[in-house]
Amino acid sequence: MLNKLLIIFLFFSFNSFACTQLNNLSIYSDDTKTISLNYIQSFEGNKPNVEGQVFFEKPNLFKIITYNPFQTELIVNDQDVYRTDYALNETIKYKLKNIESQIPALLLLKSRQQVCKFLKDSKNSEFISDVKLINDKEKLKTISYLDQFGVITQINFLDIKLNDEIDKKIFDYNKETVLIILN
């Protein structure tokens, strides 16, 4: 009986403390309602950096704008995802559940417990693996991971602003583009 209690204690202790790096991050605080930030995504090798902005309003509004090297947008509006490519003049609509494992920035959308589970499960993912979060006290600084092609990718977050007013219109996709619906 004592052995069973010890095993249960160790199991729960390991699960409780395995993601301690998330405990102090202000982005996962209940007090944080909105997040806006700039980012630079870099890749191992000769790929150009990707630069853009992220906007998030809890619980389920999210937007990534990419400025360089191409102008694109990715919008999560509840359970729908819209990817707009301005060069192609098209927006593709997906169900969030079908592609969320392919978008590391969606870690901002999740609760602390969901992020912890994602970090543990990413070891077996075919899209994103070896995910690491780097923080400086309360601020998330970097997400690094190995992508589906074996390329080490790093996303650095800059100018993080919490609880600023965000106009909800930015979470609408560009209706001037051709809409393609995939499920």
mmCIF file of all heavy atoms in Angstrom, residues 138-180:
data_model
loop_
_atom_site.group_PDB
_atom_site.id
_atom_site.type_symbol
_atom_site.label_atom_id
_atom_site.label_comp_id
_atom_site.label_asym_id
_atom_site.label_seq_id
_atom_site.Cartn_x
_atom_site.Cartn_y
_atom_site.Cartn_z
ATOM 1 N N GLU A 138 8.738 37.347 -15.943
ATOM 2 C CA GLU A 138 7.317 37.172 -16.262
ATOM 3 C C GLU A 138 7.032 37.181 -17.760
ATOM 4 O O GLU A 138 5.910 36.958 -18.176
ATOM 5 C CB GLU A 138 6.494 38.284 -15.609
ATOM 6 C CG GLU A 138 6.482 38.222 -14.101
ATOM 7 C CD GLU A 138 5.639 39.327 -13.499
ATOM 8 O OE1 GLU A 138 5.207 40.234 -14.228
ATOM 9 O OE2 GLU A 138 5.390 39.256 -12.287
ATOM 10 N N LYS A 139 8.021 37.483 -18.589
ATOM 11 C CA LYS A 139 7.776 37.653 -20.020
ATOM 12 C C LYS A 139 8.327 36.490 -20.834
ATOM 13 O O LYS A 139 9.463 36.066 -20.642
ATOM 14 C CB LYS A 139 8.397 38.949 -20.528
ATOM 15 C CG LYS A 139 7.703 40.173 -19.997
ATOM 16 C CD LYS A 139 8.215 41.405 -20.665
ATOM 17 C CE LYS A 139 7.432 42.604 -20.157
ATOM 18 N NZ LYS A 139 7.841 43.825 -20.804
ATOM 19 N N LEU A 140 7.497 36.011 -21.753
ATOM 20 C CA LEU A 140 7.938 35.005 -22.709
ATOM 21 C C LEU A 140 8.815 35.705 -23.738
ATOM 22 O O LEU A 140 8.411 36.699 -24.337
ATOM 23 C CB LEU A 140 6.719 34.371 -23.393
ATOM 24 C CG LEU A 140 7.000 33.316 -24.446
ATOM 25 C CD1 LEU A 140 7.698 32.110 -23.825
ATOM 26 C CD2 LEU A 140 5.708 32.871 -25.111
ATOM 27 N N LYS A 141 10.015 35.223 -23.925
ATOM 28 C CA LYS A 141 10.953 35.844 -24.851
ATOM 29 C C LYS A 141 11.059 35.092 -26.178
ATOM 30 O O LYS A 141 11.128 35.689 -27.229
ATOM 31 C CB LYS A 141 12.355 35.923 -24.226
ATOM 32 C CG LYS A 141 12.461 36.849 -23.059
ATOM 33 C CD LYS A 141 12.196 38.249 -23.500
ATOM 34 C CE LYS A 141 12.933 39.254 -22.666
ATOM 35 N NZ LYS A 141 12.680 40.595 -23.113
ATOM 36 N N THR A 142 11.075 33.737 -26.098
ATOM 37 C CA THR A 142 11.363 32.939 -27.286
ATOM 38 C C THR A 142 10.646 31.599 -27.219
ATOM 39 O O THR A 142 10.541 31.011 -26.147
ATOM 40 C CB THR A 142 12.883 32.681 -27.397
ATOM 41 O OG1 THR A 142 13.575 33.924 -27.405
ATOM 42 C CG2 THR A 142 13.239 31.900 -28.644
ATOM 43 N N ILE A 143 10.175 31.150 -28.373
ATOM 44 C CA ILE A 143 9.748 29.770 -28.561
ATOM 45 C C ILE A 143 10.675 29.194 -29.623
ATOM 46 O O ILE A 143 10.836 29.777 -30.692
ATOM 47 C CB ILE A 143 8.290 29.653 -29.054
ATOM 48 C CG1 ILE A 143 7.304 30.194 -28.035
ATOM 49 C CG2 ILE A 143 7.954 28.191 -29.389
ATOM 50 C CD1 ILE A 143 5.854 30.212 -28.526
ATOM 51 N N SER A 144 11.319 28.084 -29.329
ATOM 52 C CA SER A 144 12.124 27.410 -30.345
ATOM 53 C C SER A 144 11.596 25.992 -30.500
ATOM 54 O O SER A 144 11.063 25.414 -29.557
ATOM 55 C CB SER A 144 13.615 27.413 -29.989
ATOM 56 O OG SER A 144 13.854 26.618 -28.870
ATOM 57 N N TYR A 145 11.744 25.457 -31.702
ATOM 58 C CA TYR A 145 11.247 24.116 -31.976
ATOM 59 C C TYR A 145 11.890 23.567 -33.234
ATOM 60 O O TYR A 145 12.537 24.290 -33.998
ATOM 61 C CB TYR A 145 9.715 24.118 -32.123
ATOM 62 C CG TYR A 145 9.201 25.011 -33.230
ATOM 63 C CD1 TYR A 145 8.976 24.524 -34.511
ATOM 64 C CD2 TYR A 145 8.939 26.353 -32.991
ATOM 65 C CE1 TYR A 145 8.512 25.342 -35.522
ATOM 66 C CE2 TYR A 145 8.474 27.180 -33.994
ATOM 67 C CZ TYR A 145 8.259 26.675 -35.262
ATOM 68 O OH TYR A 145 7.805 27.487 -36.258
ATOM 69 N N LEU A 146 11.703 22.284 -33.432
ATOM 70 C CA LEU A 146 12.148 21.592 -34.629
ATOM 71 C C LEU A 146 10.922 21.402 -35.500
ATOM 72 O O LEU A 146 9.936 20.795 -35.062
ATOM 73 C CB LEU A 146 12.757 20.241 -34.236
ATOM 74 C CG LEU A 146 13.510 19.463 -35.294
ATOM 75 C CD1 LEU A 146 14.746 20.240 -35.746
ATOM 76 C CD2 LEU A 146 13.925 18.119 -34.740
ATOM 77 N N ASP A 147 10.942 21.951 -36.729
ATOM 78 C CA ASP A 147 9.750 21.848 -37.568
ATOM 79 C C ASP A 147 9.678 20.489 -38.283
ATOM 80 O O ASP A 147 10.554 19.640 -38.125
ATOM 81 C CB ASP A 147 9.638 23.025 -38.540
ATOM 82 C CG ASP A 147 10.615 22.977 -39.713
ATOM 83 O OD1 ASP A 147 11.270 21.937 -39.941
ATOM 84 O OD2 ASP A 147 10.720 23.994 -40.414
ATOM 85 N N GLN A 148 8.638 20.285 -39.058
ATOM 86 C CA GLN A 148 8.387 18.999 -39.708
ATOM 87 C C GLN A 148 9.458 18.616 -40.720
ATOM 88 O O GLN A 148 9.550 17.461 -41.132
ATOM 89 C CB GLN A 148 7.014 19.001 -40.375
ATOM 90 C CG GLN A 148 6.904 19.973 -41.538
ATOM 91 C CD GLN A 148 5.480 20.381 -41.805
ATOM 92 O OE1 GLN A 148 4.735 20.666 -40.897
ATOM 93 N NE2 GLN A 148 5.100 20.400 -43.067
ATOM 94 N N PHE A 149 10.304 19.583 -41.128
ATOM 95 C CA PHE A 149 11.367 19.294 -42.080
ATOM 96 C C PHE A 149 12.723 19.171 -41.393
ATOM 97 O O PHE A 149 13.761 19.106 -42.044
ATOM 98 C CB PHE A 149 11.423 20.392 -43.152
ATOM 99 C CG PHE A 149 10.106 20.589 -43.855
ATOM 100 C CD1 PHE A 149 9.351 21.728 -43.614
ATOM 101 C CD2 PHE A 149 9.597 19.629 -44.713
ATOM 102 C CE1 PHE A 149 8.133 21.908 -44.236
ATOM 103 C CE2 PHE A 149 8.371 19.795 -45.340
ATOM 104 C CZ PHE A 149 7.637 20.943 -45.101
ATOM 105 N N GLY A 150 12.719 19.181 -40.053
ATOM 106 C CA GLY A 150 13.951 19.043 -39.301
ATOM 107 C C GLY A 150 14.743 20.330 -39.145
ATOM 108 O O GLY A 150 15.916 20.300 -38.802
ATOM 109 N N VAL A 151 14.100 21.471 -39.410
ATOM 110 C CA VAL A 151 14.761 22.769 -39.314
ATOM 111 C C VAL A 151 14.503 23.368 -37.933
ATOM 112 O O VAL A 151 13.354 23.435 -37.481
ATOM 113 C CB VAL A 151 14.254 23.733 -40.411
ATOM 114 C CG1 VAL A 151 14.862 25.123 -40.250
ATOM 115 C CG2 VAL A 151 14.555 23.171 -41.794
ATOM 116 N N ILE A 152 15.567 23.810 -37.281
ATOM 117 C CA ILE A 152 15.408 24.484 -35.997
ATOM 118 C C ILE A 152 14.880 25.888 -36.269
ATOM 119 O O ILE A 152 15.442 26.646 -37.067
ATOM 120 C CB ILE A 152 16.742 24.563 -35.235
ATOM 121 C CG1 ILE A 152 17.234 23.142 -34.905
ATOM 122 C CG2 ILE A 152 16.600 25.406 -33.969
ATOM 123 C CD1 ILE A 152 18.634 23.092 -34.346
ATOM 124 N N THR A 153 13.783 26.211 -35.612
ATOM 125 C CA THR A 153 13.112 27.494 -35.802
ATOM 126 C C THR A 153 13.020 28.194 -34.460
ATOM 127 O O THR A 153 12.772 27.562 -33.439
ATOM 128 C CB THR A 153 11.704 27.264 -36.380
ATOM 129 O OG1 THR A 153 11.824 26.538 -37.610
ATOM 130 C CG2 THR A 153 10.989 28.568 -36.636
ATOM 131 N N GLN A 154 13.188 29.515 -34.482
ATOM 132 C CA GLN A 154 13.120 30.296 -33.255
ATOM 133 C C GLN A 154 12.238 31.515 -33.493
ATOM 134 O O GLN A 154 12.391 32.214 -34.489
ATOM 135 C CB GLN A 154 14.527 30.735 -32.854
ATOM 136 C CG GLN A 154 14.580 31.491 -31.565
ATOM 137 C CD GLN A 154 16.000 31.679 -31.101
ATOM 138 O OE1 GLN A 154 16.771 30.740 -31.001
ATOM 139 N NE2 GLN A 154 16.348 32.923 -30.809
ATOM 140 N N ILE A 155 11.307 31.763 -32.576
ATOM 141 C CA ILE A 155 10.445 32.935 -32.641
ATOM 142 C C ILE A 155 10.765 33.807 -31.433
ATOM 143 O O ILE A 155 10.603 33.372 -30.290
ATOM 144 C CB ILE A 155 8.957 32.550 -32.629
ATOM 145 C CG1 ILE A 155 8.639 31.571 -33.763
ATOM 146 C CG2 ILE A 155 8.079 33.798 -32.741
ATOM 147 C CD1 ILE A 155 7.257 30.965 -33.677
ATOM 148 N N ASN A 156 11.246 35.019 -31.691
ATOM 149 C CA ASN A 156 11.578 35.968 -30.628
ATOM 150 C C ASN A 156 10.463 36.996 -30.522
ATOM 151 O O ASN A 156 10.029 37.558 -31.535
ATOM 152 C CB ASN A 156 12.899 36.674 -30.919
ATOM 153 C CG ASN A 156 14.055 35.708 -30.875
ATOM 154 O OD1 ASN A 156 14.288 35.052 -29.874
ATOM 155 N ND2 ASN A 156 14.772 35.597 -31.980
ATOM 156 N N PHE A 157 10.005 37.247 -29.303
ATOM 157 C CA PHE A 157 8.919 38.179 -29.050
ATOM 158 C C PHE A 157 9.487 39.505 -28.546
ATOM 159 O O PHE A 157 10.326 39.530 -27.650
ATOM 160 C CB PHE A 157 7.943 37.595 -28.029
ATOM 161 C CG PHE A 157 7.337 36.308 -28.494
ATOM 162 C CD1 PHE A 157 7.721 35.102 -27.934
ATOM 163 C CD2 PHE A 157 6.397 36.283 -29.507
ATOM 164 C CE1 PHE A 157 7.169 33.906 -28.356
ATOM 165 C CE2 PHE A 157 5.843 35.097 -29.941
ATOM 166 C CZ PHE A 157 6.223 33.913 -29.371
ATOM 167 N N LEU A 158 8.979 40.605 -29.117
ATOM 168 C CA LEU A 158 9.455 41.941 -28.781
ATOM 169 C C LEU A 158 8.255 42.844 -28.473
ATOM 170 O O LEU A 158 7.149 42.618 -28.981
ATOM 171 C CB LEU A 158 10.217 42.539 -29.972
ATOM 172 C CG LEU A 158 11.252 41.636 -30.633
ATOM 173 C CD1 LEU A 158 11.586 42.125 -32.018
ATOM 174 C CD2 LEU A 158 12.487 41.570 -29.765
ATOM 175 N N ASP A 159 8.478 43.878 -27.713
ATOM 176 C CA ASP A 159 7.445 44.898 -27.435
ATOM 177 C C ASP A 159 6.121 44.281 -26.988
ATOM 178 O O ASP A 159 5.064 44.617 -27.518
ATOM 179 C CB ASP A 159 7.220 45.790 -28.663
ATOM 180 C CG ASP A 159 8.490 46.450 -29.144
ATOM 181 O OD1 ASP A 159 9.299 46.853 -28.292
ATOM 182 O OD2 ASP A 159 8.684 46.549 -30.365
ATOM 183 N N ILE A 160 6.165 43.401 -26.020
ATOM 184 C CA ILE A 160 4.952 42.754 -25.520
ATOM 185 C C ILE A 160 4.140 43.754 -24.709
ATOM 186 O O ILE A 160 4.660 44.389 -23.798
ATOM 187 C CB ILE A 160 5.298 41.526 -24.660
ATOM 188 C CG1 ILE A 160 6.058 40.494 -25.494
ATOM 189 C CG2 ILE A 160 4.049 40.928 -24.039
ATOM 190 C CD1 ILE A 160 6.614 39.332 -24.687
ATOM 191 N N LYS A 161 2.862 43.882 -25.085
ATOM 192 C CA LYS A 161 1.943 44.771 -24.360
ATOM 193 C C LYS A 161 0.766 43.937 -23.878
ATOM 194 O O LYS A 161 0.153 43.203 -24.655
ATOM 195 C CB LYS A 161 1.460 45.884 -25.271
ATOM 196 C CG LYS A 161 2.584 46.802 -25.710
ATOM 197 C CD LYS A 161 2.100 47.851 -26.653
ATOM 198 C CE LYS A 161 3.308 48.652 -27.126
ATOM 199 N NZ LYS A 161 3.098 49.227 -28.419
ATOM 200 N N LEU A 162 0.464 44.071 -22.598
ATOM 201 C CA LEU A 162 -0.630 43.323 -21.998
ATOM 202 C C LEU A 162 -1.772 44.272 -21.649
ATOM 203 O O LEU A 162 -1.544 45.388 -21.187
ATOM 204 C CB LEU A 162 -0.157 42.599 -20.732
ATOM 205 C CG LEU A 162 1.028 41.650 -20.903
ATOM 206 C CD1 LEU A 162 1.435 41.073 -19.555
ATOM 207 C CD2 LEU A 162 0.723 40.552 -21.889
ATOM 208 N N ASN A 163 -2.989 43.801 -21.892
ATOM 209 C CA ASN A 163 -4.219 44.486 -21.500
ATOM 210 C C ASN A 163 -4.433 45.843 -22.156
ATOM 211 O O ASN A 163 -5.140 46.686 -21.619
ATOM 212 C CB ASN A 163 -4.320 44.594 -19.974
ATOM 213 C CG ASN A 163 -4.446 43.230 -19.342
ATOM 214 O OD1 ASN A 163 -5.107 42.343 -19.870
ATOM 215 N ND2 ASN A 163 -3.777 43.043 -18.212
ATOM 216 N N ASP A 164 -3.839 46.067 -23.325
ATOM 217 C CA ASP A 164 -4.159 47.255 -24.117
ATOM 218 C C ASP A 164 -5.473 47.016 -24.857
ATOM 219 O O ASP A 164 -5.799 45.870 -25.191
ATOM 220 C CB ASP A 164 -3.057 47.564 -25.132
ATOM 221 C CG ASP A 164 -1.853 48.252 -24.506
ATOM 222 O OD1 ASP A 164 -1.878 48.506 -23.284
ATOM 223 O OD2 ASP A 164 -0.893 48.524 -25.241
ATOM 224 N N GLU A 165 -6.173 48.078 -25.147
ATOM 225 C CA GLU A 165 -7.418 47.984 -25.921
ATOM 226 C C GLU A 165 -7.088 47.517 -27.346
ATOM 227 O O GLU A 165 -6.173 48.050 -27.981
ATOM 228 C CB GLU A 165 -8.087 49.357 -25.966
ATOM 229 C CG GLU A 165 -9.406 49.371 -26.661
ATOM 230 C CD GLU A 165 -10.565 49.061 -25.736
ATOM 231 O OE1 GLU A 165 -10.392 49.105 -24.507
ATOM 232 O OE2 GLU A 165 -11.643 48.764 -26.260
ATOM 233 N N ILE A 166 -7.810 46.508 -27.833
ATOM 234 C CA ILE A 166 -7.627 46.005 -29.201
ATOM 235 C C ILE A 166 -8.969 46.110 -29.911
ATOM 236 O O ILE A 166 -9.986 45.615 -29.422
ATOM 237 C CB ILE A 166 -7.134 44.545 -29.214
ATOM 238 C CG1 ILE A 166 -5.753 44.436 -28.550
ATOM 239 C CG2 ILE A 166 -7.076 44.008 -30.648
ATOM 240 C CD1 ILE A 166 -5.215 43.013 -28.463
ATOM 241 N N ASP A 167 -8.968 46.738 -31.081
ATOM 242 C CA ASP A 167 -10.179 46.862 -31.885
ATOM 243 C C ASP A 167 -10.562 45.482 -32.425
ATOM 244 O O ASP A 167 -9.777 44.842 -33.120
ATOM 245 C CB ASP A 167 -9.934 47.828 -33.037
ATOM 246 C CG ASP A 167 -11.171 48.104 -33.873
ATOM 247 O OD1 ASP A 167 -12.233 47.502 -33.617
ATOM 248 O OD2 ASP A 167 -11.072 48.935 -34.798
ATOM 249 N N LYS A 168 -11.749 45.003 -32.116
ATOM 250 C CA LYS A 168 -12.186 43.658 -32.526
ATOM 251 C C LYS A 168 -12.256 43.497 -34.051
ATOM 252 O O LYS A 168 -12.233 42.378 -34.555
ATOM 253 C CB LYS A 168 -13.535 43.336 -31.900
ATOM 254 C CG LYS A 168 -13.443 43.057 -30.409
ATOM 255 C CD LYS A 168 -14.694 42.348 -29.940
ATOM 256 C CE LYS A 168 -14.816 42.189 -28.476
ATOM 257 N NZ LYS A 168 -13.700 41.801 -27.708
ATOM 258 N N LYS A 169 -12.312 44.576 -34.785
ATOM 259 C CA LYS A 169 -12.368 44.495 -36.254
ATOM 260 C C LYS A 169 -11.110 43.857 -36.838
ATOM 261 O O LYS A 169 -11.162 43.304 -37.926
ATOM 262 C CB LYS A 169 -12.575 45.879 -36.858
ATOM 263 C CG LYS A 169 -13.946 46.443 -36.599
ATOM 264 C CD LYS A 169 -14.083 47.819 -37.218
ATOM 265 C CE LYS A 169 -15.416 48.440 -36.833
ATOM 266 N NZ LYS A 169 -15.524 49.802 -37.361
ATOM 267 N N ILE A 170 -9.992 43.931 -36.119
ATOM 268 C CA ILE A 170 -8.768 43.333 -36.669
ATOM 269 C C ILE A 170 -8.856 41.813 -36.738
ATOM 270 O O ILE A 170 -8.055 41.185 -37.409
ATOM 271 C CB ILE A 170 -7.492 43.764 -35.923
ATOM 272 C CG1 ILE A 170 -7.431 43.157 -34.526
ATOM 273 C CG2 ILE A 170 -7.321 45.254 -35.899
ATOM 274 C CD1 ILE A 170 -6.056 43.261 -33.900
ATOM 275 N N PHE A 171 -9.846 41.227 -36.060
ATOM 276 C CA PHE A 171 -10.000 39.775 -36.085
ATOM 277 C C PHE A 171 -10.939 39.304 -37.200
ATOM 278 O O PHE A 171 -11.274 38.132 -37.277
ATOM 279 C CB PHE A 171 -10.485 39.268 -34.724
ATOM 280 C CG PHE A 171 -9.536 39.596 -33.606
ATOM 281 C CD1 PHE A 171 -9.852 40.550 -32.657
ATOM 282 C CD2 PHE A 171 -8.304 38.964 -33.519
ATOM 283 C CE1 PHE A 171 -8.974 40.859 -31.633
ATOM 284 C CE2 PHE A 171 -7.417 39.269 -32.499
ATOM 285 C CZ PHE A 171 -7.749 40.219 -31.553
ATOM 286 N N ASP A 172 -11.347 40.218 -38.069
ATOM 287 C CA ASP A 172 -12.133 39.862 -39.254
ATOM 288 C C ASP A 172 -11.163 39.605 -40.403
ATOM 289 O O ASP A 172 -10.207 40.361 -40.585
ATOM 290 C CB ASP A 172 -13.079 40.998 -39.654
ATOM 291 C CG ASP A 172 -14.168 41.243 -38.623
ATOM 292 O OD1 ASP A 172 -14.512 40.304 -37.871
ATOM 293 O OD2 ASP A 172 -14.677 42.381 -38.574
ATOM 294 N N TYR A 173 -11.424 38.563 -41.187
ATOM 295 C CA TYR A 173 -10.537 38.291 -42.313
ATOM 296 C C TYR A 173 -10.841 39.272 -43.447
ATOM 297 O O TYR A 173 -11.912 39.893 -43.496
ATOM 298 C CB TYR A 173 -10.652 36.830 -42.776
ATOM 299 C CG TYR A 173 -11.892 36.517 -43.577
ATOM 300 C CD1 TYR A 173 -11.878 36.585 -44.966
ATOM 301 C CD2 TYR A 173 -13.081 36.140 -42.956
ATOM 302 C CE1 TYR A 173 -13.012 36.298 -45.705
ATOM 303 C CE2 TYR A 173 -14.210 35.848 -43.685
ATOM 304 C CZ TYR A 173 -14.170 35.933 -45.057
ATOM 305 O OH TYR A 173 -15.297 35.658 -45.785
ATOM 306 N N ASN A 174 -9.913 39.403 -44.379
ATOM 307 C CA ASN A 174 -10.053 40.323 -45.499
ATOM 308 C C ASN A 174 -11.042 39.752 -46.506
ATOM 309 O O ASN A 174 -10.720 38.845 -47.259
ATOM 310 C CB ASN A 174 -8.685 40.564 -46.148
ATOM 311 C CG ASN A 174 -8.734 41.610 -47.226
ATOM 312 O OD1 ASN A 174 -9.742 41.816 -47.868
ATOM 313 N ND2 ASN A 174 -7.619 42.291 -47.405
ATOM 314 N N LYS A 175 -12.233 40.296 -46.521
ATOM 315 C CA LYS A 175 -13.300 39.798 -47.388
ATOM 316 C C LYS A 175 -13.125 40.186 -48.860
ATOM 317 O O LYS A 175 -13.891 39.745 -49.711
ATOM 318 C CB LYS A 175 -14.658 40.257 -46.848
ATOM 319 C CG LYS A 175 -14.982 39.591 -45.519
ATOM 320 C CD LYS A 175 -16.292 40.085 -44.942
ATOM 321 C CE LYS A 175 -16.694 39.374 -43.692
ATOM 322 N NZ LYS A 175 -15.866 39.521 -42.559
ATOM 323 N N GLU A 176 -12.116 40.984 -49.147
ATOM 324 C CA GLU A 176 -11.834 41.356 -50.545
ATOM 325 C C GLU A 176 -11.042 40.269 -51.267
ATOM 326 O O GLU A 176 -10.853 40.330 -52.467
ATOM 327 C CB GLU A 176 -11.093 42.691 -50.587
ATOM 328 C CG GLU A 176 -11.951 43.835 -50.086
ATOM 329 C CD GLU A 176 -11.201 45.143 -50.055
ATOM 330 O OE1 GLU A 176 -10.108 45.252 -50.662
ATOM 331 O OE2 GLU A 176 -11.705 46.077 -49.420
ATOM 332 N N THR A 177 -10.563 39.270 -50.532
ATOM 333 C CA THR A 177 -9.825 38.178 -51.154
ATOM 334 C C THR A 177 -10.801 37.042 -51.475
ATOM 335 O O THR A 177 -11.925 36.993 -50.975
ATOM 336 C CB THR A 177 -8.731 37.641 -50.202
ATOM 337 O OG1 THR A 177 -9.358 37.163 -49.002
ATOM 338 C CG2 THR A 177 -7.715 38.710 -49.860
ATOM 339 N N VAL A 178 -10.366 36.119 -52.307
ATOM 340 C CA VAL A 178 -11.157 34.945 -52.639
ATOM 341 C C VAL A 178 -11.136 33.999 -51.438
ATOM 342 O O VAL A 178 -10.060 33.689 -50.925
ATOM 343 C CB VAL A 178 -10.583 34.230 -53.889
ATOM 344 C CG1 VAL A 178 -11.326 32.932 -54.173
ATOM 345 C CG2 VAL A 178 -10.608 35.159 -55.097
ATOM 346 N N LEU A 179 -12.312 33.558 -50.985
ATOM 347 C CA LEU A 179 -12.390 32.666 -49.830
ATOM 348 C C LEU A 179 -12.494 31.211 -50.293
ATOM 349 O O LEU A 179 -13.365 30.860 -51.082
ATOM 350 C CB LEU A 179 -13.608 33.009 -48.964
ATOM 351 C CG LEU A 179 -13.817 32.137 -47.719
ATOM 352 C CD1 LEU A 179 -12.646 32.296 -46.749
ATOM 353 C CD2 LEU A 179 -15.126 32.494 -47.037
ATOM 354 N N ILE A 180 -11.591 30.369 -49.791
ATOM 355 C CA ILE A 180 -11.594 28.936 -50.061
ATOM 356 C C ILE A 180 -11.808 28.237 -48.744
ATOM 357 O O ILE A 180 -11.074 28.472 -47.772
ATOM 358 C CB ILE A 180 -10.247 28.490 -50.688
ATOM 359 C CG1 ILE A 180 -10.002 29.256 -51.998
ATOM 360 C CG2 ILE A 180 -10.225 26.983 -50.895
ATOM 361 C CD1 ILE A 180 -8.606 29.123 -52.533
#
